[in-house]
Coordinates of all heavy atoms in Angstrom, one line a residue:
P187 N 101.5 84.2 111.9 CA 101.0 85.0 112.9 C 102.1 85.4 113.9 O 103.0 84.5 114.2 CB 99.9 84.2 113.6 CG 100.3 82.8 113.3 CD 100.9 82.8 112.0
I188 N 102.1 86.6 114.5 CA 103.0 87.0 115.5 C 102.2 87.0 116.8 O 101.3 87.8 116.9 CB 103.7 88.3 115.2 CG1 104.5 88.2 113.9 CG2 104.5 88.8 116.4 CD1 105.1 89.5 113.5
E189 N 102.5 86.1 117.7 CA 101.7 85.9 118.9 C 102.3 86.5 120.2 O 103.6 86.5 120.3 CB 101.4 84.5 119.2 CG 100.8 83.7 118.0 CD 100.8 82.2 118.2 OE1 101.9 81.6 117.9 OE2 99.8 81.7 118.6
R190 N 101.5 87.0 121.1 CA 102.0 87.6 122.3 C 101.5 86.8 123.5 O 100.3 86.3 123.5 CB 101.5 89.1 122.4 CG 101.7 89.8 123.8 CD 101.0 91.1 123.9 NE 101.1 91.6 125.2 CZ 101.7 92.8 125.5 NH1 102.1 93.6 124.5 NH2 101.8 93.3 126.7
L191 N 102.3 86.7 124.6 CA 101.9 86.1 125.8 C 102.6 86.7 127.0 O 103.9 86.8 126.9 CB 102.2 84.6 125.7 CG 101.6 83.6 126.7 CD1 100.0 83.6 126.5 CD2 102.1 82.2 126.6
D192 N 101.9 87.0 128.0 CA 102.5 87.5 129.3 C 102.7 86.3 130.2 O 101.7 85.6 130.5 CB 101.6 88.6 129.9 CG 101.6 89.8 129.1 OD1 102.6 90.2 128.6 OD2 100.5 90.4 129.0
V193 N 103.9 86.1 130.6 CA 104.2 84.9 131.4 C 105.0 85.3 132.7 O 105.5 86.4 132.8 CB 105.1 83.9 130.7 CG1 104.4 83.5 129.3 CG2 106.5 84.4 130.4
S194 N 105.0 84.4 133.7 CA 105.8 84.6 134.9 C 107.3 84.7 134.6 O 107.7 84.1 133.6 CB 105.4 83.6 136.0 OG 106.0 82.3 135.5
S195 N 108.0 85.3 135.5 CA 109.5 85.3 135.3 C 110.1 83.9 135.4 O 111.0 83.6 134.6 CB 110.1 86.3 136.3 OG 109.8 85.9 137.6
D196 N 109.5 83.1 136.2 CA 110.0 81.7 136.3 C 109.9 80.9 135.0 O 110.8 80.2 134.5 CB 109.3 80.9 137.4 CG 109.7 81.4 138.8 OD1 110.8 82.1 138.9 OD2 109.0 81.0 139.8
L197 N 108.7 81.1 134.4 CA 108.5 80.4 133.1 C 109.3 81.1 132.0 O 109.9 80.3 131.1 CB 107.0 80.5 132.7 CG 106.6 79.8 131.4 CD1 107.0 78.4 131.3 CD2 105.1 80.0 131.1
A198 N 109.5 82.4 132.0 CA 110.4 83.0 131.1 C 111.8 82.5 131.2 O 112.5 82.2 130.1 CB 110.4 84.5 131.3
V199 N 112.3 82.3 132.4 CA 113.7 81.7 132.6 C 113.7 80.3 132.0 O 114.7 80.0 131.3 CB 114.0 81.7 134.1 CG1 115.3 80.8 134.3 CG2 114.2 83.1 134.6
E200 N 112.7 79.6 132.1 CA 112.7 78.2 131.5 C 112.6 78.3 130.0 O 113.3 77.5 129.3 CB 111.4 77.4 132.0 CG 111.5 76.0 131.7 CD 110.3 75.2 132.3 OE1 109.5 75.8 133.1 OE2 110.2 74.0 132.0
M201 N 111.9 79.2 129.5 CA 111.8 79.4 128.0 C 113.1 79.8 127.4 O 113.5 79.3 126.3 CB 110.7 80.5 127.7 CG 109.3 80.0 127.8 SD 108.2 81.5 127.5 CE 106.6 80.6 127.4
F202 N 113.9 80.6 128.1 CA 115.2 81.1 127.6 C 116.3 80.5 128.3 O 117.4 81.1 128.5 CB 115.2 82.6 127.7 CG 114.2 83.3 126.8 CD1 113.0 83.7 127.4 CD2 114.4 83.4 125.5 CE1 112.0 84.3 126.6 CE2 113.4 84.0 124.7 CZ 112.2 84.4 125.2
S203 N 116.2 79.2 128.7 CA 117.2 78.5 129.5 C 118.5 78.4 128.8 O 119.6 78.3 129.4 CB 116.7 77.1 129.9 OG 116.4 76.3 128.7
D204 N 118.5 78.5 127.4 CA 119.7 78.3 126.6 C 120.5 79.7 126.4 O 121.5 79.7 125.8 CB 119.4 77.7 125.3 CG 118.5 78.6 124.4 OD1 117.6 79.3 125.0 OD2 118.7 78.7 123.2
N205 N 119.9 80.8 126.9 CA 120.5 82.1 126.6 C 120.8 82.9 127.9 O 119.9 83.4 128.5 CB 119.5 82.9 125.7 CG 120.1 84.2 125.2 OD1 120.8 84.9 125.9 ND2 119.7 84.5 124.0
P206 N 122.0 82.9 128.3 CA 122.4 83.6 129.5 C 122.1 85.1 129.6 O 121.8 85.6 130.6 CB 123.9 83.3 129.6 CG 124.4 83.1 128.2 CD 123.2 82.4 127.6
F207 N 122.1 85.7 128.4 CA 121.8 87.1 128.3 C 120.4 87.4 128.6 O 120.0 88.3 129.4 CB 122.2 87.7 127.0 CG 123.7 87.5 126.7 CD1 124.1 86.5 125.9 CD2 124.7 88.3 127.3 CE1 125.5 86.2 125.6 CE2 126.0 88.1 127.0 CZ 126.4 87.1 126.2
K208 N 119.5 86.6 128.0 CA 118.0 86.7 128.3 C 117.8 86.5 129.8 O 117.0 87.2 130.4 CB 117.2 85.8 127.5 CG 117.4 86.0 126.0 CD 116.7 87.3 125.5 CE 116.8 87.4 124.0 NZ 116.5 88.8 123.5

Side-chain angles (χ1 to χ4, degrees):
I188 298 175
E189 302 170 279
R190 172 191 175 118
L191 195 65
D192 293 320
V193 306
S194 69
S195 57
D196 287 345
L197 181 55
V199 167
E200 191 176 355
M201 286 176 166
F202 296 98
S203 60
D204 64 322
N205 189 321
F207 300 100
K208 299 291 181 190

